[in-house]
């Protein structure tokens, strides 16, 4: 959030001092772009960490898809591939999917492709995220938070989302996993469907 909010502040300062109509128009365009990025990130955070998605237990998959599309479209070096079969997912599954996708996006420091997939099979929701590109970076402590080997006193703002989704998956009787290899980071989760869920 710091980058787009900082850009908004800088743009307002420039706009206050600028007299040239063409430059003022350019400042307004940049402000509009920064405001849109900020709004999209806030929507992402609300769905990934909060209680968004309405009052039901299921969230239409269009919501996370639109959010990830807006984030990848904001960077011309990124491409999103979407292969989510169900038309809706549980709130827990959406939180896990978005957080894994955010980790994938963070790893693509020089751009690349974020492939997101999910399906329901045998009473489980299976989620897979693959980040591939010319340089894929992954913080080892995030991996430790995902597999449960990071101690509580080592948690930070960077590792807390991984810790949260591991706890969320384990609470529901599922699990998360990852593999960081040459040119790719693969993140996955298996979440048992809630009792009574018809998929």
């Amino acid at each position: 959030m710091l980058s787009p909010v900082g850009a908004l502040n800088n743009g307002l300062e420039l706009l206050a001092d600028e007299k040239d109509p063409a430059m003022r128009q350019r400042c307004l365009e940049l402000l509009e772009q920064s405001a849109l990025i900020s709004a999209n990130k806030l929507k992402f955070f609300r769905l990934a960490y909060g209680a968004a998605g309405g009052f039901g237990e299921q969230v239409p998959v269009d919501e996370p898809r639109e959010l990830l599309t807006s984030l990848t479209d904001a960077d011309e070096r990124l491409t999103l591939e979407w292969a989510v079969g169900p038309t809706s997912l549980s709130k827990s599954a959406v939180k896990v999917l978005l957080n894994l996708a955010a980790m994938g996006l963070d790893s693509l420091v020089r751009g690349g492709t974020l492939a997101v997939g999910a399906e329901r099979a045998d009473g489980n929701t299976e989620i897979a995220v693959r980040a591939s590109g010319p340089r894929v970076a992954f913080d080892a402590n995030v991996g430790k938070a995902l597999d449960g080997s990071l101690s509580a006193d080592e948690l930070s703002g960077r590792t807390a989302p991984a810790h949260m989704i591991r706890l969320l998956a384990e609470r529901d009787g599922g699990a998360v996993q990852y593999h960081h290899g040459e040119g790719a980071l693969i993140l996955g989760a298996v979440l048992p469907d809630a009792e009574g869920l018809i998929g």
Side-chain angles (χ1 to χ4, degrees):
M1 284 302 297
L2 290 177
S3 179
V5 171
L8 278 170
N9 187 52
N10 294 338
L12 288 170
E13 288 176 3
L14 284 171
L15 191 60
D17 296 333
E18 188 57 60
K19 304 298 183 214
D20 178 38
M23 287 304 293
R24 287 182 63 82
Q25 180 59 36
R26 182 66 182 135
C27 285
L28 288 172
E29 290 169 3
L30 291 172
L31 284 169
E32 184 179 359
Q33 181 182 17
S34 295
L36 181 61
I37 292 170
S38 297
N40 287 335
K41 285 192 174 186
L42 285 172
K43 287 177 190 174
F44 178 90
F45 294 146
R46 187 163 180 247
L47 196 55
Y49 305 114
F55 295 107
E57 287 304 310
Q58 296 289 301
V59 177
V61 296
D62 289 344
E63 288 186 45
R65 180 181 186 168
E66 287 169 9
L67 289 173
L68 289 174
T69 298
S70 69
L71 293 177
T72 54
D73 283 354
D75 187 337
E76 62 187 21
R77 302 171 307 154
L78 296 172
T79 302
L80 175 66
E81 294 179 355
W82 183 263
V84 175
T87 57
S88 65
L89 293 171
S90 69
K91 286 184 177 181
S92 293
V94 168
K95 285 184 189 332
V96 170
L97 182 146
L98 286 175
N99 277 280
L100 292 178
M103 289 173 212
L105 284 172
D106 284 347
S107 75
L108 296 174
V109 293
R110 292 189 183 156
T113 300
L114 181 74
V116 178
E119 64 180 14
R120 279 205 194 111
D122 301 323
N124 295 307
T125 298
E126 299 174 7
I127 298 165
V129 172
R130 184 176 191 273
S132 58
R135 180 164 180 257
V136 179
F138 187 62
D139 185 337
N141 282 334
V142 173
K144 288 180 180 179
L146 280 174
D147 67 24
S149 63
L150 188 70
S151 64
D153 61 336
E154 292 180 281
L155 286 173
S156 67
R158 184 152 182 82
T159 57
H163 179 72
M164 177 196 77
I165 63 169
R166 180 182 62 80
L167 292 178
L168 189 63
E170 288 179 353
R171 179 201 72 189
D172 294 342
V176 293
Q177 58 189 1
Y178 74 95
H179 174 74
H180 182 213
E182 183 73 29
L185 170 65
I186 300 168
L187 303 146
V190 177
L191 302 171
D193 290 336
E195 285 189 29
L197 180 65
I198 299 173

